Amino acid sequence: MRRHLIKRFCLAFGPRLPRIWLILCPVSVVVLIVLSASSSSSLNSVTLTVKPDIYANYRRLKNQAVNDYLDLSSLSVGVSKLKEIKICGKEREHYVPCYNVSANLLTGFKYGDEFDRHCEVSKGESYCLVRPPKDYKTPLTWPVGRDVIWNENVKITKDQFLSSGSMTKRLMLMEENQISFYSDDGVKDYSHQVAEMIGLGNDVGFHQAGVRTVLDIGCGFGSFGAHLLSLKLMTVCMAAYELTGSQVQISLERGLPAIIGNFNSRQLPFPYLSYDMVHCAECGILWDEKDGLFLIEADRILKPGGYFVLHGSSLSTKKGSMASPIEEFAQKICWTFIAQQEETFIWQKTIDPQCYLSSIQGVVPPCREEREDTQAYYQPLASCVGGTTSKRWIPIQKRNSSSQITSAELKIYGIQQDEFDEDFESSLSALKNYWSLLTPLIFSDHPKRPGDEDPLPPYNMIRNVMDMNARYGGFNAAFLKEGKAVWVMNVVPIRARDTLPVIFDQGFAGVLHDWCEPFPTYPRTYDMLHANGLLSYLISEQCSITNLLLEMDRILRPEGWVVLSDEMGPIEKARSIATQIRWEARVIDLENGSDQRILVCQKPFVRR
Ligand SMILES: *[C@@H]1O[C@H](CO)[C@@H](O)[C@H](O)[C@H]1NC(C)=O
Ligand SMILES: *[C@@H]1O[C@H](CO)[C@@H](O)[C@H](O)[C@H]1NC(C)=O
Ligand SMILES: *[C@@H]1O[C@H](CO)[C@@H](O)[C@H](O)[C@H]1NC(C)=O
């Protein structure tokens, strides 16, 4: 792999490239580069109070007119009014909006709900630019960065380090300023054990058994996921927000897929029938509490025939085994108990939707209202079984073992084959174009990274990628096709068409998200953010573009990249905000006379 990268490096970057190369480079559509001027600004501090109006469209138009007026007047006000957004204090180095526990408690949330996501509570918090800790260092490149991270980049105490779960503790070593993760045989043995328990020869067979996507709840520091990823299983770590020693922050720092997710009183931001396996090793969730609501939620996101794997020392030591109250409930949701070995228990979700209608004593009924759950976004946990009448009720074992999606499968989602292919083809050509745009910025006028003799080419710095408006996952597929060592978080905006099922079925990571709100991740966790058509969509939804860009700045690593593709108006608006956020920004014009523009930005590495 590394040799492969080096070879590509020589091909692409052999000579130091002068800036003029950008203009001459063989990019098919890119012709004109407009350096961002810093003369315009937008008056973000002005809030408008438009009276409620029953004619929604009219209101929208009216707002639009006011916005346009503001943009115009801000141009005429000129540079003097240009307001740079202020830098946050040290206390916000690891700031995640919507998880202010003390504010949640003050608001009256309790019984664990105070640890949940409450964006409405945090809404009043002033915005500012989150800056890295004083000794922050650029993460090591993949795959070295998977096994060694910088101590100062994450928030972890010595005590926490020592008390971390037994399975992970063995694998971590804190040295002077680094934390090393050793992939010891324990994780491999465990993975083999799980594979054997579900009747496979070894863990290479997961794919044939239809297992491609795994949700690893409470993932430790991601070592199990790292092993499964090496077997080409998309494993996403999910854990609650943690102030220090965060499993999600450390996993992402290692370049492993992860997201903050709470299992307390609301559903997870995934549609039903999403994952092939849900895994919990000492994940801290009391599955037998709340009348099995957590198990029903696990059932909701599992595909038919999918596996629920539970591992924990507390399970087998309790009298008779704690699995028994869980087992009792598992029967009510039609799960089959497959096997137990030592401290590991495995159940399988039924493939028969009729099971929920059967006469098993106290069986949990199917949900009455079967909307295709596009809006399943932090809804209250439900006490009914979802997805039973869905066309997507297809047992994982019946799927083709290749990740290639078939037109029969597409038909189930109501997607035309040519529409799907077009998404991939245009993403592929877009990716090739973007990739060549990312390099000159760093090789020409961009300052070297502090302490770095020789800046590395950007693809080495790009590991965690987010497609903020992922559609069918074409951008992710393009990355794979190009052989880039990245993973992509495919985000489908709520109220847009819910294409997550087709994303999951390609073995990709994905999540529903409302971009009017902050994203559930830690600062500095993504290397590249891409969004095609998101700005114009959000403007039509009346979300604040300023807040969106500030949020993007928070979750971007220093020197991370932003690529926005949209119509000229929204792009110009974003460019002026990008200037306020101090990003380096360039607007790319497409030659063919279309209204489309591309905004390429790089977040600077600023020391406090
Ligand atoms: C959290 O909320 C408390 C109480 O409202 C507030 O004082 C504090 O500044 C908030 N923390 C952050 C990081 O915004
Ligand atoms: C699996 O692929 C084969 C050949 O590509 C096809 O004939 C078959 O219908 C597919 N099965 C499903 C369940 O899509
Ligand atoms: C211009 O090119 C872009 C990118 O290839 C394409 O999406 C767009 O439809 C084209 N516009 C026109 C007017 O041809």
Side-chain angles (χ1 to χ4, degrees), residues 90-110:
K90 193 172 152 44
E91 75 286 354
R92 285 214 187 168
E93 280 171 0
H94 299 278
Y95 176 55
V96 183
C98 306
Y99 291 93
N100 186 332
V101 177
S102 50
N104 290 345
L105 281 169
L106 281 175
T107 313
F109 287 106
K110 49 191 172 185

Side-chain angles (χ1 to χ4, degrees), residues 29 429 590 592-596:
V29 290
S429 80
L590 300 178
N592 62 6
S594 83
D595 190 31
Q596 286 294 118

Side-chain angles (χ1 to χ4, degrees), residues 73-367:
S73 60
S74 70
L75 277 175
S76 60
V77 174
V79 190
S80 60
K81 276 265 177 126
L82 193 143
K83 206 176 106 206
E84 277 204 333
I85 290 153
K86 69 177 196 302
I87 311 279
C88 306
K90 193 172 152 44
E91 75 286 354
R92 285 214 187 168
E93 280 171 0
H94 299 278
Y95 176 55
V96 183
C98 306
Y99 291 93
N100 186 332
V101 177
S102 50
N104 290 345
L105 281 169
L106 281 175
T107 313
F109 287 106
K110 49 191 172 185
Y111 310 124
D113 282 351
E114 67 272 25
F115 300 107
D116 233 333
R117 178 183 163 89
H118 294 292
C119 295
E120 70 285 5
V121 173
S122 300
K123 211 154 211 160
E125 288 171 11
S126 64
Y127 55 60
C128 53
L129 296 173
V130 173
R131 285 295 177 236
K134 193 166 126 285
D135 293 318
Y136 181 87
K137 288 190 186 62
T138 302
L140 299 168
T141 55
W142 181 267
V144 180
R146 178 191 55 205
D147 302 326
V148 181
I149 63 172
W150 300 110
N151 224 339
E152 300 295 330
N153 289 13
V154 296
K155 197 170 180 186
I156 185 166
T157 63
K158 268 228 156 62
D159 289 349
Q160 258 174 340
F161 186 84
L162 294 172
S163 66
S164 59
S166 61
M167 199 154 113
T168 46
K169 187 165 129 195
R170 273 206 317 269
L171 309 178
M172 277 166 71
L173 189 68
M174 200 186 263
E175 284 150 334
E176 216 180 315
N177 56 359
Q178 292 182 337
I179 302 173
S180 306
F181 300 85
Y182 294 95
S183 58
D184 86 350
D185 291 337
V187 166
K188 285 185 197 138
D189 289 348
Y190 175 65
S191 168
H192 268 282
Q193 186 190 23
V194 171
E196 274 174 21
M197 286 169 75
I198 64 177
L200 304 169
N202 60 45
D203 57 6
V204 180
F206 276 132
H207 260 271
Q208 279 152 322
V211 180
R212 281 180 226 156
T213 51
V214 180
L215 186 67
D216 192 10
I217 301 169
C219 60
F221 297 123
S223 292
F224 181 54
H227 175 68
L228 293 184
L229 274 181
S230 74
L231 301 173
K232 300 208 159 38
L233 302 191
M234 175 44 75
T235 310
V236 177
C237 166
M238 200 191 69
Y241 170 74
E242 294 162 293
L243 199 55
T244 60
S246 160
Q247 312 173 56
V248 169
Q249 188 184 34
I250 291 174
S251 293
L252 286 163
E253 186 68 18
R254 299 179 65 186
L256 303 170
I259 188 166
I260 300 173
N262 289 66
F263 232 106
N264 194 52
S265 57
R266 283 184 288 175
Q267 293 183 343
L268 303 172
F270 310 114
Y272 51 63
L273 314 181
S274 290
Y275 286 95
D276 306 323
M277 181 182 281
V278 171
H279 175 257
C280 153
E282 314 251 17
C283 68
I285 288 167
L286 303 170
W287 295 102
D288 51 342
E289 293 210 341
K290 288 211 187 184
D291 298 327
L293 277 182
F294 302 142
L295 288 168
I296 296 177
E297 176 61 1
D299 179 84
R300 187 183 71 83
I301 58 174
L302 268 179
K303 283 181 186 284
Y307 299 97
F308 181 72
V309 181
L310 206 52
H311 172 94
S313 52
S314 58
L315 294 178
S316 47
T317 51
K318 270 198 193 169
K319 201 176 70 178
S321 90
M322 179 186 106
S324 51
I326 297 179
E327 172 55 25
E328 206 173 290
F329 210 87
Q331 285 177 7
K332 293 185 186 174
I333 49 175
C334 295
W335 288 5
T336 311
F337 182 65
I338 300 241
Q340 177 198 352
Q341 271 184 30
E342 294 147 35
E343 298 169 350
T344 307
F345 298 76
I346 302 182
W347 286 266
Q348 185 172 26
K349 175 169 171 164
T350 184
I351 58 171
D352 175 18
Q354 299 302 316
C355 176
Y356 303 101
L357 304 171
S358 75
S359 56
I360 301 173
Q361 193 68 40
V363 76
V364 178
C367 298

